[in-house]
Amino acid sequence: MNPVLEVIANRRSVRAYADQPITTEEKEAILQAAFRAPTAGNMMLYSILEVDDPTLKERLTVTCDNQPFIARAPLVLLFLADYQRWFDYFTHCRVEQRCQELGLTYRTPQEGDLMLACCDTLIAAQNAVIAAESMGIGSCYIGDILERYEIHQELFSLPKYVVPVTLVCFGHPTPGQQTRPQTPRFDKEFIVHKNAYHPLGDNAMEQMFLPTQERYFSTGRYYEGAENIGQHYYLRKFISEFSVEMSRSVREILKNWS
């Protein structure tokens, strides 16, 4: 296995950080890796906001579903889907006037543009994560940044066509984090399809979740009232307060965007 594949295979989420700062050189390498990520039309439809103000970091621990380790992370980067920069440039270049001259309908960014920008943003974030891992720096995605959109919009002065997609915490892992077992993934046979999508039958679904179910059952980690993994995830995550809030927040994002 080559070194790149080893880095990918060994990566795990890190939520506890050693008392070791991330150097300027390391941070620059992480950012440069993000900039080299594949991007639609070479437009780089994202911005990266470094959060180093302790007050802001403490605020994020609350708004991102009460996760205190965010405040302790040496480096916190907010990855933003950003069409504002291009739309501002369109204005600068008098695109609307030119469209009128050509008899073309001038349009503002729509839902498809947001999806494309979100893809650009997440690809850049993953490049940053892998680059950090290659230098021995752990990371953890915080998807909860999608919650409480109005608060985060105000907190970071985000204009209309800029949306927080993911927050990533970086830091050197503690010894315990370095030796913590990885979370297993589903086997390839359940994930990879050929030529057409094939829904899983009852037996395949049972086989896919068997290792997860055995792990949860052995540790007694089932959510209250759950009898199996499907019920556990539904009760613990799918109808949870944070999941409902995330959906509400995303509806507001779409409403504001279009």
Short mmCIF file of all heavy atoms in Angstrom, two decimals, residues 171-200:
data_model
loop_
_atom_site.label_atom_id
_atom_site.label_comp_id
_atom_site.label_asym_id
_atom_site.label_seq_id
_atom_site.Cartn_x
_atom_site.Cartn_y
_atom_site.Cartn_z
N GLY A 171 -6.04 19.20 15.12
CA GLY A 171 -5.10 19.22 16.23
C GLY A 171 -4.33 17.91 16.31
O GLY A 171 -4.77 16.88 15.80
N HIS A 172 -3.16 17.97 16.94
CA HIS A 172 -2.38 16.74 17.15
C HIS A 172 -3.12 15.85 18.15
O HIS A 172 -3.49 16.32 19.23
CB HIS A 172 -0.98 17.08 17.65
CG HIS A 172 -0.14 17.79 16.63
ND1 HIS A 172 0.58 17.12 15.67
CD2 HIS A 172 0.06 19.12 16.43
CE1 HIS A 172 1.21 18.00 14.91
NE2 HIS A 172 0.93 19.22 15.34
N PRO A 173 -3.35 14.59 17.81
CA PRO A 173 -4.13 13.73 18.71
C PRO A 173 -3.38 13.37 19.99
O PRO A 173 -2.15 13.30 20.01
CB PRO A 173 -4.38 12.48 17.86
CG PRO A 173 -3.27 12.47 16.85
CD PRO A 173 -2.95 13.91 16.57
N THR A 174 -4.14 13.17 21.05
CA THR A 174 -3.56 12.65 22.28
C THR A 174 -3.17 11.18 22.06
O THR A 174 -3.65 10.55 21.10
CB THR A 174 -4.57 12.73 23.43
OG1 THR A 174 -5.72 11.93 23.08
CG2 THR A 174 -5.01 14.17 23.68
N PRO A 175 -2.31 10.61 22.92
CA PRO A 175 -1.95 9.18 22.75
C PRO A 175 -3.17 8.27 22.72
O PRO A 175 -3.21 7.30 21.96
CB PRO A 175 -1.08 8.91 23.98
CG PRO A 175 -0.46 10.24 24.29
CD PRO A 175 -1.52 11.26 23.98
N GLY A 176 -4.18 8.57 23.52
CA GLY A 176 -5.38 7.74 23.53
C GLY A 176 -6.12 7.79 22.21
O GLY A 176 -6.68 6.78 21.76
N GLN A 177 -6.13 8.95 21.58
CA GLN A 177 -6.79 9.09 20.28
C GLN A 177 -6.03 8.33 19.19
O GLN A 177 -6.63 7.79 18.26
CB GLN A 177 -6.91 10.56 19.90
CG GLN A 177 -7.88 11.35 20.74
CD GLN A 177 -9.32 11.05 20.40
OE1 GLN A 177 -9.80 11.33 19.31
NE2 GLN A 177 -10.04 10.48 21.36
N GLN A 178 -4.71 8.29 19.32
CA GLN A 178 -3.88 7.62 18.30
C GLN A 178 -4.11 6.12 18.29
O GLN A 178 -3.97 5.48 17.25
CB GLN A 178 -2.40 7.93 18.56
CG GLN A 178 -2.02 9.37 18.29
CD GLN A 178 -0.60 9.67 18.70
OE1 GLN A 178 -0.04 9.05 19.61
NE2 GLN A 178 0.04 10.61 18.02
N THR A 179 -4.46 5.56 19.45
CA THR A 179 -4.62 4.10 19.54
C THR A 179 -6.09 3.67 19.58
O THR A 179 -6.37 2.48 19.67
CB THR A 179 -3.92 3.57 20.80
OG1 THR A 179 -4.46 4.24 21.96
CG2 THR A 179 -2.41 3.85 20.74
N ARG A 180 -6.99 4.64 19.51
CA ARG A 180 -8.42 4.31 19.55
C ARG A 180 -8.83 3.51 18.32
O ARG A 180 -8.44 3.85 17.20
CB ARG A 180 -9.24 5.60 19.63
CG ARG A 180 -10.74 5.41 19.74
CD ARG A 180 -11.42 6.75 20.03
NE ARG A 180 -11.02 7.77 19.07
CZ ARG A 180 -11.60 7.91 17.87
NH1 ARG A 180 -12.56 7.10 17.49
NH2 ARG A 180 -11.20 8.88 17.07
N PRO A 181 -9.60 2.42 18.50
CA PRO A 181 -10.01 1.62 17.34
C PRO A 181 -10.81 2.45 16.34
O PRO A 181 -11.56 3.35 16.72
CB PRO A 181 -10.88 0.52 17.97
CG PRO A 181 -10.48 0.48 19.40
CD PRO A 181 -10.10 1.87 19.77
N GLN A 182 -10.62 2.12 15.07
CA GLN A 182 -11.39 2.80 14.04
C GLN A 182 -12.83 2.29 14.01
O GLN A 182 -13.11 1.15 14.36
CB GLN A 182 -10.77 2.55 12.66
CG GLN A 182 -9.48 3.31 12.41
CD GLN A 182 -8.97 3.06 11.00
OE1 GLN A 182 -8.76 1.92 10.61
NE2 GLN A 182 -8.79 4.11 10.24
N THR A 183 -13.72 3.17 13.59
CA THR A 183 -15.10 2.76 13.39
C THR A 183 -15.19 1.99 12.08
O THR A 183 -14.76 2.48 11.04
CB THR A 183 -16.03 3.98 13.32
OG1 THR A 183 -15.87 4.76 14.50
CG2 THR A 183 -17.48 3.56 13.20
N PRO A 184 -15.72 0.76 12.09
CA PRO A 184 -15.78 -0.03 10.85
C PRO A 184 -16.74 0.58 9.84
O PRO A 184 -17.65 1.33 10.19
CB PRO A 184 -16.27 -1.39 11.33
CG PRO A 184 -17.00 -1.12 12.61
CD PRO A 184 -16.30 0.04 13.24
N ARG A 185 -16.52 0.26 8.58
CA ARG A 185 -17.38 0.72 7.49
C ARG A 185 -18.15 -0.48 6.92
O ARG A 185 -17.78 -1.63 7.12
CB ARG A 185 -16.54 1.37 6.39
CG ARG A 185 -15.73 2.58 6.83
CD ARG A 185 -16.64 3.73 7.24
NE ARG A 185 -15.92 4.98 7.33
CZ ARG A 185 -15.69 5.64 8.46
NH1 ARG A 185 -16.07 5.11 9.62
NH2 ARG A 185 -15.06 6.80 8.48
N PHE A 186 -19.22 -0.18 6.18
CA PHE A 186 -19.97 -1.25 5.51
C PHE A 186 -19.09 -1.91 4.46
O PHE A 186 -18.24 -1.26 3.83
CB PHE A 186 -21.22 -0.70 4.84
CG PHE A 186 -22.24 -0.13 5.80
CD1 PHE A 186 -22.87 1.07 5.54
CD2 PHE A 186 -22.57 -0.82 6.96
CE1 PHE A 186 -23.81 1.59 6.41
CE2 PHE A 186 -23.50 -0.31 7.85
CZ PHE A 186 -24.13 0.91 7.57
N ASP A 187 -19.29 -3.18 4.22
CA ASP A 187 -18.52 -3.91 3.21
C ASP A 187 -18.84 -3.39 1.81
O ASP A 187 -19.95 -2.90 1.54
CB ASP A 187 -18.83 -5.40 3.28
CG ASP A 187 -18.22 -6.07 4.51
OD1 ASP A 187 -17.32 -5.46 5.12
OD2 ASP A 187 -18.66 -7.18 4.86
N LYS A 188 -17.88 -3.56 0.93
CA LYS A 188 -18.00 -3.06 -0.45
C LYS A 188 -19.23 -3.61 -1.15
O LYS A 188 -19.89 -2.91 -1.93
CB LYS A 188 -16.74 -3.44 -1.23
CG LYS A 188 -16.73 -2.92 -2.67
CD LYS A 188 -15.45 -3.30 -3.39
CE LYS A 188 -15.50 -4.74 -3.85
NZ LYS A 188 -14.35 -5.07 -4.74
N GLU A 189 -19.58 -4.86 -0.90
CA GLU A 189 -20.70 -5.50 -1.61
C GLU A 189 -22.02 -4.78 -1.38
O GLU A 189 -22.95 -4.88 -2.19
CB GLU A 189 -20.84 -6.97 -1.19
CG GLU A 189 -21.18 -7.15 0.28
CD GLU A 189 -21.35 -8.61 0.67
OE1 GLU A 189 -22.23 -9.28 0.08
OE2 GLU A 189 -20.60 -9.07 1.56
N PHE A 190 -22.13 -4.03 -0.28
CA PHE A 190 -23.37 -3.32 0.01
C PHE A 190 -23.36 -1.88 -0.50
O PHE A 190 -24.40 -1.22 -0.50
CB PHE A 190 -23.62 -3.30 1.52
CG PHE A 190 -23.61 -4.67 2.15
CD1 PHE A 190 -22.69 -4.99 3.13
CD2 PHE A 190 -24.52 -5.64 1.74
CE1 PHE A 190 -22.68 -6.25 3.71
CE2 PHE A 190 -24.51 -6.91 2.31
CZ PHE A 190 -23.59 -7.22 3.30
N ILE A 191 -22.22 -1.41 -0.93
CA ILE A 191 -22.07 0.00 -1.28
C ILE A 191 -21.87 0.22 -2.78
O ILE A 191 -22.35 1.20 -3.35
CB ILE A 191 -20.87 0.63 -0.51
CG1 ILE A 191 -21.08 0.46 1.01
CG2 ILE A 191 -20.69 2.09 -0.87
CD1 ILE A 191 -22.33 1.11 1.54
N VAL A 192 -21.13 -0.68 -3.42
CA VAL A 192 -20.76 -0.49 -4.82
C VAL A 192 -21.77 -1.21 -5.73
O VAL A 192 -22.02 -2.40 -5.57
CB VAL A 192 -19.34 -1.02 -5.09
CG1 VAL A 192 -18.97 -0.84 -6.56
CG2 VAL A 192 -18.33 -0.29 -4.20
N HIS A 193 -22.33 -0.46 -6.66
CA HIS A 193 -23.28 -1.00 -7.64
C HIS A 193 -22.64 -0.93 -9.03
O HIS A 193 -21.69 -0.18 -9.24
CB HIS A 193 -24.58 -0.20 -7.65
CG HIS A 193 -25.25 -0.11 -6.31
ND1 HIS A 193 -26.37 -0.83 -5.98
CD2 HIS A 193 -24.93 0.61 -5.19
CE1 HIS A 193 -26.74 -0.54 -4.75
NE2 HIS A 193 -25.87 0.32 -4.24
N LYS A 194 -23.18 -1.68 -9.95
CA LYS A 194 -22.65 -1.64 -11.31
C LYS A 194 -23.79 -1.39 -12.29
O LYS A 194 -24.76 -2.14 -12.35
CB LYS A 194 -21.94 -2.95 -11.66
CG LYS A 194 -21.26 -2.94 -13.04
CD LYS A 194 -20.44 -4.20 -13.29
CE LYS A 194 -19.19 -4.22 -12.42
NZ LYS A 194 -18.28 -5.34 -12.80
N ASN A 195 -23.66 -0.32 -13.06
CA ASN A 195 -24.56 0.05 -14.16
C ASN A 195 -25.95 0.51 -13.73
O ASN A 195 -26.60 1.28 -14.43
CB ASN A 195 -24.71 -1.11 -15.16
CG ASN A 195 -23.39 -1.45 -15.82
OD1 ASN A 195 -22.58 -0.58 -16.08
ND2 ASN A 195 -23.17 -2.74 -16.07
N ALA A 196 -26.44 0.06 -12.61
CA ALA A 196 -27.74 0.50 -12.11
C ALA A 196 -27.78 0.30 -10.61
O ALA A 196 -27.07 -0.54 -10.06
CB ALA A 196 -28.88 -0.29 -12.77
N TYR A 197 -28.61 1.09 -9.96
CA TYR A 197 -28.77 0.96 -8.51
C TYR A 197 -29.61 -0.27 -8.19
O TYR A 197 -30.62 -0.53 -8.84
CB TYR A 197 -29.45 2.20 -7.95
CG TYR A 197 -29.62 2.19 -6.45
CD1 TYR A 197 -28.60 2.63 -5.61
CD2 TYR A 197 -30.79 1.71 -5.86
CE1 TYR A 197 -28.74 2.61 -4.24
CE2 TYR A 197 -30.95 1.69 -4.48
CZ TYR A 197 -29.92 2.13 -3.68
OH TYR A 197 -30.06 2.11 -2.32
N HIS A 198 -29.18 -1.03 -7.19
CA HIS A 198 -29.89 -2.25 -6.81
C HIS A 198 -30.25 -2.17 -5.33
O HIS A 198 -29.37 -2.27 -4.47
CB HIS A 198 -29.02 -3.49 -7.07
CG HIS A 198 -28.58 -3.62 -8.50
ND1 HIS A 198 -29.44 -4.03 -9.49
CD2 HIS A 198 -27.38 -3.38 -9.09
CE1 HIS A 198 -28.78 -4.05 -10.65
NE2 HIS A 198 -27.54 -3.65 -10.43
N PRO A 199 -31.54 -1.99 -5.02
CA PRO A 199 -31.95 -1.95 -3.61
C PRO A 199 -31.58 -3.24 -2.88
O PRO A 199 -31.60 -4.33 -3.47
CB PRO A 199 -33.48 -1.79 -3.68
CG PRO A 199 -33.73 -1.22 -5.05
CD PRO A 199 -32.67 -1.81 -5.93
N LEU A 200 -31.24 -3.11 -1.61
CA LEU A 200 -30.87 -4.28 -0.81
C LEU A 200 -32.11 -5.02 -0.33
O LEU A 200 -33.09 -4.40 0.09
CB LEU A 200 -30.04 -3.85 0.40
CG LEU A 200 -28.71 -3.15 0.11
CD1 LEU A 200 -28.05 -2.72 1.42
CD2 LEU A 200 -27.78 -4.06 -0.67
#
